[in-house]
PDB file of all heavy atoms in Angstrom:
ATOM      1  N   THR A   1     -17.915 -11.433  -5.747  1.00  0.00           N
ATOM      2  CA  THR A   1     -17.064 -11.884  -4.640  1.00  0.00           C
ATOM      3  C   THR A   1     -15.617 -12.145  -5.062  1.00  0.00           C
ATOM      4  O   THR A   1     -14.704 -11.819  -4.304  1.00  0.00           O
ATOM      5  CB  THR A   1     -17.676 -13.134  -3.996  1.00  0.00           C
ATOM      6  OG1 THR A   1     -19.005 -12.829  -3.571  1.00  0.00           O
ATOM      7  CG2 THR A   1     -16.872 -13.568  -2.793  1.00  0.00           C
ATOM      8  N   PRO A   2     -15.342 -12.756  -6.236  1.00  0.00           N
ATOM      9  CA  PRO A   2     -13.921 -12.886  -6.630  1.00  0.00           C
ATOM     10  C   PRO A   2     -13.199 -11.551  -6.722  1.00  0.00           C
ATOM     11  O   PRO A   2     -12.019 -11.458  -6.372  1.00  0.00           O
ATOM     12  CB  PRO A   2     -14.001 -13.577  -8.000  1.00  0.00           C
ATOM     13  CG  PRO A   2     -15.285 -14.318  -7.975  1.00  0.00           C
ATOM     14  CD  PRO A   2     -16.216 -13.459  -7.178  1.00  0.00           C
ATOM     15  N   VAL A   3     -13.905 -10.517  -7.163  1.00  0.00           N
ATOM     16  CA  VAL A   3     -13.294  -9.187  -7.214  1.00  0.00           C
ATOM     17  C   VAL A   3     -13.007  -8.685  -5.804  1.00  0.00           C
ATOM     18  O   VAL A   3     -11.943  -8.114  -5.536  1.00  0.00           O
ATOM     19  CB  VAL A   3     -14.220  -8.208  -7.962  1.00  0.00           C
ATOM     20  CG1 VAL A   3     -13.675  -6.790  -7.902  1.00  0.00           C
ATOM     21  CG2 VAL A   3     -14.391  -8.646  -9.399  1.00  0.00           C
ATOM     22  N   SER A   4     -13.952  -8.910  -4.887  1.00  0.00           N
ATOM     23  CA  SER A   4     -13.728  -8.503  -3.496  1.00  0.00           C
ATOM     24  C   SER A   4     -12.519  -9.215  -2.907  1.00  0.00           C
ATOM     25  O   SER A   4     -11.735  -8.626  -2.157  1.00  0.00           O
ATOM     26  CB  SER A   4     -14.977  -8.802  -2.660  1.00  0.00           C
ATOM     27  OG  SER A   4     -16.108  -8.149  -3.190  1.00  0.00           O
ATOM     28  N   ALA A   5     -12.371 -10.504  -3.228  1.00  0.00           N
ATOM     29  CA  ALA A   5     -11.224 -11.261  -2.717  1.00  0.00           C
ATOM     30  C   ALA A   5      -9.912 -10.689  -3.216  1.00  0.00           C
ATOM     31  O   ALA A   5      -8.901 -10.695  -2.504  1.00  0.00           O
ATOM     32  CB  ALA A   5     -11.351 -12.733  -3.128  1.00  0.00           C
ATOM     33  N   LEU A   6      -9.916 -10.180  -4.441  1.00  0.00           N
ATOM     34  CA  LEU A   6      -8.681  -9.629  -5.009  1.00  0.00           C
ATOM     35  C   LEU A   6      -8.446  -8.194  -4.562  1.00  0.00           C
ATOM     36  O   LEU A   6      -7.342  -7.830  -4.156  1.00  0.00           O
ATOM     37  CB  LEU A   6      -8.759  -9.701  -6.537  1.00  0.00           C
ATOM     38  CG  LEU A   6      -7.517  -9.293  -7.317  1.00  0.00           C
ATOM     39  CD1 LEU A   6      -6.344 -10.191  -6.968  1.00  0.00           C
ATOM     40  CD2 LEU A   6      -7.786  -9.351  -8.817  1.00  0.00           C
ATOM     41  N   VAL A   7      -9.506  -7.372  -4.605  1.00  0.00           N
ATOM     42  CA  VAL A   7      -9.370  -5.951  -4.290  1.00  0.00           C
ATOM     43  C   VAL A   7      -9.022  -5.734  -2.821  1.00  0.00           C
ATOM     44  O   VAL A   7      -8.179  -4.921  -2.473  1.00  0.00           O
ATOM     45  CB  VAL A   7     -10.667  -5.204  -4.661  1.00  0.00           C
ATOM     46  CG1 VAL A   7     -10.673  -3.809  -4.076  1.00  0.00           C
ATOM     47  CG2 VAL A   7     -10.813  -5.139  -6.167  1.00  0.00           C
ATOM     48  N   HIS A   8      -9.665  -6.497  -1.921  1.00  0.00           N
ATOM     49  CA  HIS A   8      -9.531  -6.247  -0.490  1.00  0.00           C
ATOM     50  C   HIS A   8      -8.471  -7.103   0.176  1.00  0.00           C
ATOM     51  O   HIS A   8      -8.397  -7.161   1.398  1.00  0.00           O
ATOM     52  CB  HIS A   8     -10.871  -6.484   0.208  1.00  0.00           C
ATOM     53  CG  HIS A   8     -11.898  -5.472  -0.156  1.00  0.00           C
ATOM     54  ND1 HIS A   8     -12.605  -5.536  -1.325  1.00  0.00           N
ATOM     55  CD2 HIS A   8     -12.326  -4.355   0.477  1.00  0.00           C
ATOM     56  CE1 HIS A   8     -13.438  -4.505  -1.388  1.00  0.00           C
ATOM     57  NE2 HIS A   8     -13.286  -3.775  -0.306  1.00  0.00           N
ATOM     58  N   SER A   9      -7.649  -7.761  -0.604  1.00  0.00           N
ATOM     59  CA  SER A   9      -6.587  -8.553   0.006  1.00  0.00           C
ATOM     60  C   SER A   9      -5.207  -8.009  -0.354  1.00  0.00           C
ATOM     61  O   SER A   9      -4.401  -7.727   0.531  1.00  0.00           O
ATOM     62  CB  SER A   9      -6.708 -10.021  -0.433  1.00  0.00           C
ATOM     63  OG  SER A   9      -6.565 -10.146  -1.839  1.00  0.00           O
ATOM     64  N   SER A  10      -4.929  -7.853  -1.646  1.00  0.00           N
ATOM     65  CA  SER A  10      -3.543  -7.549  -2.013  1.00  0.00           C
ATOM     66  C   SER A  10      -3.392  -6.494  -3.095  1.00  0.00           C
ATOM     67  O   SER A  10      -2.262  -6.236  -3.523  1.00  0.00           O
ATOM     68  CB  SER A  10      -2.871  -8.841  -2.525  1.00  0.00           C
ATOM     69  OG  SER A  10      -3.572  -9.349  -3.653  1.00  0.00           O
ATOM     70  N   THR A  11      -4.449  -5.880  -3.563  1.00  0.00           N
ATOM     71  CA  THR A  11      -4.279  -4.979  -4.706  1.00  0.00           C
ATOM     72  C   THR A  11      -4.668  -3.536  -4.355  1.00  0.00           C
ATOM     73  O   THR A  11      -3.837  -2.779  -3.862  1.00  0.00           O
ATOM     74  CB  THR A  11      -5.108  -5.469  -5.911  1.00  0.00           C
ATOM     75  OG1 THR A  11      -6.451  -5.737  -5.483  1.00  0.00           O
ATOM     76  CG2 THR A  11      -4.538  -6.758  -6.463  1.00  0.00           C
ATOM     77  N   LEU A  12      -5.910  -3.175  -4.598  1.00  0.00           N
ATOM     78  CA  LEU A  12      -6.302  -1.755  -4.530  1.00  0.00           C
ATOM     79  C   LEU A  12      -6.074  -1.149  -3.157  1.00  0.00           C
ATOM     80  O   LEU A  12      -5.461  -0.087  -3.027  1.00  0.00           O
ATOM     81  CB  LEU A  12      -7.772  -1.626  -4.940  1.00  0.00           C
ATOM     82  CG  LEU A  12      -8.343  -0.209  -4.934  1.00  0.00           C
ATOM     83  CD1 LEU A  12      -7.675   0.647  -5.994  1.00  0.00           C
ATOM     84  CD2 LEU A  12      -9.844  -0.235  -5.161  1.00  0.00           C
ATOM     85  N   VAL A  13      -6.556  -1.795  -2.106  1.00  0.00           N
ATOM     86  CA  VAL A  13      -6.508  -1.191  -0.774  1.00  0.00           C
ATOM     87  C   VAL A  13      -5.086  -1.144  -0.213  1.00  0.00           C
ATOM     88  O   VAL A  13      -4.795  -0.336   0.671  1.00  0.00           O
ATOM     89  CB  VAL A  13      -7.436  -1.934   0.198  1.00  0.00           C
ATOM     90  CG1 VAL A  13      -8.883  -1.788  -0.225  1.00  0.00           C
ATOM     91  CG2 VAL A  13      -7.068  -3.405   0.306  1.00  0.00           C
ATOM     92  N   THR A  14      -4.214  -2.006  -0.699  1.00  0.00           N
ATOM     93  CA  THR A  14      -2.835  -2.014  -0.201  1.00  0.00           C
ATOM     94  C   THR A  14      -1.919  -1.095  -1.004  1.00  0.00           C
ATOM     95  O   THR A  14      -0.742  -0.968  -0.661  1.00  0.00           O
ATOM     96  CB  THR A  14      -2.273  -3.440  -0.227  1.00  0.00           C
ATOM     97  OG1 THR A  14      -2.324  -3.956  -1.564  1.00  0.00           O
ATOM     98  CG2 THR A  14      -3.073  -4.354   0.680  1.00  0.00           C
ATOM     99  N   ALA A  15      -2.453  -0.470  -2.053  1.00  0.00           N
ATOM    100  CA  ALA A  15      -1.610   0.405  -2.875  1.00  0.00           C
ATOM    101  C   ALA A  15      -1.098   1.593  -2.068  1.00  0.00           C
ATOM    102  O   ALA A  15       0.064   2.000  -2.204  1.00  0.00           O
ATOM    103  CB  ALA A  15      -2.391   0.883  -4.097  1.00  0.00           C
ATOM    104  N   GLY A  16      -1.968   2.160  -1.220  1.00  0.00           N
ATOM    105  CA  GLY A  16      -1.534   3.285  -0.399  1.00  0.00           C
ATOM    106  C   GLY A  16      -0.480   2.896   0.610  1.00  0.00           C
ATOM    107  O   GLY A  16       0.488   3.641   0.840  1.00  0.00           O
ATOM    108  N   VAL A  17      -0.638   1.728   1.226  1.00  0.00           N
ATOM    109  CA  VAL A  17       0.364   1.250   2.184  1.00  0.00           C
ATOM    110  C   VAL A  17       1.694   1.023   1.479  1.00  0.00           C
ATOM    111  O   VAL A  17       2.758   1.402   1.989  1.00  0.00           O
ATOM    112  CB  VAL A  17      -0.130  -0.046   2.861  1.00  0.00           C
ATOM    113  CG1 VAL A  17       0.910  -0.561   3.839  1.00  0.00           C
ATOM    114  CG2 VAL A  17      -1.450   0.187   3.575  1.00  0.00           C
ATOM    115  N   TYR A  18       1.641   0.416   0.307  1.00  0.00           N
ATOM    116  CA  TYR A  18       2.885   0.143  -0.422  1.00  0.00           C
ATOM    117  C   TYR A  18       3.566   1.443  -0.858  1.00  0.00           C
ATOM    118  O   TYR A  18       4.801   1.526  -0.862  1.00  0.00           O
ATOM    119  CB  TYR A  18       2.575  -0.726  -1.639  1.00  0.00           C
ATOM    120  CG  TYR A  18       3.805  -1.163  -2.394  1.00  0.00           C
ATOM    121  CD1 TYR A  18       4.614  -2.184  -1.923  1.00  0.00           C
ATOM    122  CD2 TYR A  18       4.164  -0.534  -3.584  1.00  0.00           C
ATOM    123  CE1 TYR A  18       5.747  -2.579  -2.615  1.00  0.00           C
ATOM    124  CE2 TYR A  18       5.295  -0.919  -4.283  1.00  0.00           C
ATOM    125  CZ  TYR A  18       6.079  -1.936  -3.791  1.00  0.00           C
ATOM    126  OH  TYR A  18       7.206  -2.323  -4.481  1.00  0.00           O
ATOM    127  N   LEU A  19       2.772   2.453  -1.235  1.00  0.00           N
ATOM    128  CA  LEU A  19       3.356   3.747  -1.600  1.00  0.00           C
ATOM    129  C   LEU A  19       4.136   4.335  -0.437  1.00  0.00           C
ATOM    130  O   LEU A  19       5.261   4.841  -0.608  1.00  0.00           O
ATOM    131  CB  LEU A  19       2.249   4.700  -2.047  1.00  0.00           C
ATOM    132  CG  LEU A  19       2.667   6.135  -2.347  1.00  0.00           C
ATOM    133  CD1 LEU A  19       3.614   6.182  -3.538  1.00  0.00           C
ATOM    134  CD2 LEU A  19       1.447   7.014  -2.608  1.00  0.00           C
ATOM    135  N   MET A  20       3.591   4.251   0.781  1.00  0.00           N
ATOM    136  CA  MET A  20       4.280   4.791   1.941  1.00  0.00           C
ATOM    137  C   MET A  20       5.483   3.935   2.323  1.00  0.00           C
ATOM    138  O   MET A  20       6.469   4.444   2.862  1.00  0.00           O
ATOM    139  CB  MET A  20       3.318   4.899   3.122  1.00  0.00           C
ATOM    140  CG  MET A  20       2.163   5.856   2.894  1.00  0.00           C
ATOM    141  SD  MET A  20       2.685   7.438   2.193  1.00  0.00           S
ATOM    142  CE  MET A  20       3.854   7.992   3.421  1.00  0.00           C
ATOM    143  N   ILE A  21       5.424   2.632   2.058  1.00  0.00           N
ATOM    144  CA  ILE A  21       6.590   1.783   2.316  1.00  0.00           C
ATOM    145  C   ILE A  21       7.741   2.192   1.406  1.00  0.00           C
ATOM    146  O   ILE A  21       8.909   2.221   1.826  1.00  0.00           O
ATOM    147  CB  ILE A  21       6.217   0.304   2.125  1.00  0.00           C
ATOM    148  CG1 ILE A  21       5.287  -0.165   3.245  1.00  0.00           C
ATOM    149  CG2 ILE A  21       7.456  -0.582   2.082  1.00  0.00           C
ATOM    150  CD1 ILE A  21       4.727  -1.553   3.049  1.00  0.00           C
ATOM    151  N   ARG A  22       7.427   2.525   0.166  1.00  0.00           N
ATOM    152  CA  ARG A  22       8.465   2.964  -0.766  1.00  0.00           C
ATOM    153  C   ARG A  22       9.075   4.306  -0.360  1.00  0.00           C
ATOM    154  O   ARG A  22      10.204   4.609  -0.736  1.00  0.00           O
ATOM    155  CB  ARG A  22       7.894   3.070  -2.178  1.00  0.00           C
ATOM    156  CG  ARG A  22       7.816   1.737  -2.899  1.00  0.00           C
ATOM    157  CD  ARG A  22       9.178   1.114  -3.016  1.00  0.00           C
ATOM    158  NE  ARG A  22       9.205  -0.053  -3.866  1.00  0.00           N
ATOM    159  CZ  ARG A  22      10.273  -0.824  -4.041  1.00  0.00           C
ATOM    160  NH1 ARG A  22      11.403  -0.540  -3.397  1.00  0.00           N
ATOM    161  NH2 ARG A  22      10.225  -1.868  -4.821  1.00  0.00           N
ATOM    162  N   PHE A  23       8.348   5.111   0.395  1.00  0.00           N
ATOM    163  CA  PHE A  23       8.886   6.358   0.922  1.00  0.00           C
ATOM    164  C   PHE A  23       9.538   6.132   2.277  1.00  0.00           C
ATOM    165  O   PHE A  23       9.646   7.058   3.084  1.00  0.00           O
ATOM    166  CB  PHE A  23       7.778   7.408   1.067  1.00  0.00           C
ATOM    167  CG  PHE A  23       7.543   8.209  -0.176  1.00  0.00           C
ATOM    168  CD1 PHE A  23       6.500   7.897  -1.023  1.00  0.00           C
ATOM    169  CD2 PHE A  23       8.370   9.263  -0.498  1.00  0.00           C
ATOM    170  CE1 PHE A  23       6.273   8.637  -2.164  1.00  0.00           C
ATOM    171  CE2 PHE A  23       8.156  10.005  -1.636  1.00  0.00           C
ATOM    172  CZ  PHE A  23       7.101   9.694  -2.481  1.00  0.00           C
ATOM    173  N   GLY A  24       9.945   4.910   2.564  1.00  0.00           N
ATOM    174  CA  GLY A  24      10.556   4.581   3.848  1.00  0.00           C
ATOM    175  C   GLY A  24      11.795   5.426   4.128  1.00  0.00           C
ATOM    176  O   GLY A  24      12.603   5.704   3.245  1.00  0.00           O
ATOM    177  N   GLY A  25      11.940   5.832   5.366  1.00  0.00           N
ATOM    178  CA  GLY A  25      13.055   6.685   5.743  1.00  0.00           C
ATOM    179  C   GLY A  25      12.682   8.142   5.865  1.00  0.00           C
ATOM    180  O   GLY A  25      13.420   8.938   6.451  1.00  0.00           O
ATOM    181  N   MET A  26      11.519   8.527   5.308  1.00  0.00           N
ATOM    182  CA  MET A  26      11.081   9.922   5.401  1.00  0.00           C
ATOM    183  C   MET A  26      10.608  10.276   6.807  1.00  0.00           C
ATOM    184  O   MET A  26      10.354  11.438   7.105  1.00  0.00           O
ATOM    185  CB  MET A  26       9.945  10.173   4.401  1.00  0.00           C
ATOM    186  CG  MET A  26      10.366  10.086   2.955  1.00  0.00           C
ATOM    187  SD  MET A  26      11.518  11.393   2.498  1.00  0.00           S
ATOM    188  CE  MET A  26      10.433  12.799   2.554  1.00  0.00           C
ATOM    189  N   TYR A  27      10.449   9.271   7.650  1.00  0.00           N
ATOM    190  CA  TYR A  27      10.019   9.494   9.029  1.00  0.00           C
ATOM    191  C   TYR A  27      10.977  10.444   9.759  1.00  0.00           C
ATOM    192  O   TYR A  27      10.568  11.233  10.596  1.00  0.00           O
ATOM    193  CB  TYR A  27       9.940   8.154   9.744  1.00  0.00           C
ATOM    194  CG  TYR A  27       9.543   8.254  11.194  1.00  0.00           C
ATOM    195  CD1 TYR A  27       8.207   8.357  11.546  1.00  0.00           C
ATOM    196  CD2 TYR A  27      10.501   8.250  12.207  1.00  0.00           C
ATOM    197  CE1 TYR A  27       7.830   8.455  12.873  1.00  0.00           C
ATOM    198  CE2 TYR A  27      10.138   8.353  13.531  1.00  0.00           C
ATOM    199  CZ  TYR A  27       8.804   8.454  13.868  1.00  0.00           C
ATOM    200  OH  TYR A  27       8.440   8.556  15.174  1.00  0.00           O
ATOM    201  N   LEU A  28      12.257  10.362   9.416  1.00  0.00           N
ATOM    202  CA  LEU A  28      13.258  11.191  10.087  1.00  0.00           C
ATOM    203  C   LEU A  28      13.136  12.652   9.688  1.00  0.00           C
ATOM    204  O   LEU A  28      13.525  13.544  10.447  1.00  0.00           O
ATOM    205  CB  LEU A  28      14.664  10.675   9.752  1.00  0.00           C
ATOM    206  CG  LEU A  28      14.957   9.225  10.163  1.00  0.00           C
ATOM    207  CD1 LEU A  28      16.332   8.811   9.664  1.00  0.00           C
ATOM    208  CD2 LEU A  28      14.866   9.080  11.674  1.00  0.00           C
ATOM    209  N   PHE A  29      12.581  12.928   8.489  1.00  0.00           N
ATOM    210  CA  PHE A  29      12.492  14.297   8.004  1.00  0.00           C
ATOM    211  C   PHE A  29      11.147  14.950   8.349  1.00  0.00           C
ATOM    212  O   PHE A  29      11.088  16.153   8.581  1.00  0.00           O
ATOM    213  CB  PHE A  29      12.679  14.325   6.477  1.00  0.00           C
ATOM    214  CG  PHE A  29      14.016  13.806   6.034  1.00  0.00           C
ATOM    215  CD1 PHE A  29      14.156  12.494   5.621  1.00  0.00           C
ATOM    216  CD2 PHE A  29      15.135  14.615   6.037  1.00  0.00           C
ATOM    217  CE1 PHE A  29      15.378  12.004   5.208  1.00  0.00           C
ATOM    218  CE2 PHE A  29      16.368  14.138   5.634  1.00  0.00           C
ATOM    219  CZ  PHE A  29      16.492  12.824   5.221  1.00  0.00           C
TER     220      PHE A  29
END
């Protein structure tokens, strides 16, 4: 459960969202 609390809150699952945030501005292209 401690791993689930870490993985499913701010680390592994949010990596994809953060990657797309870093590509911000590409929406126009």
Side-chain angles (χ1 to χ4, degrees):
T1 303
V3 174
S4 303
L6 185 61
V7 168
H8 292 80
S9 62
S10 59
T11 50
L12 180 66
V13 295
T14 58
V17 179
Y18 185 77
L19 175 64
M20 297 314 302
I21 290 173
R22 279 301 189 185
F23 273 99
M26 293 294 290
Y27 178 83
L28 300 175
F29 299 97

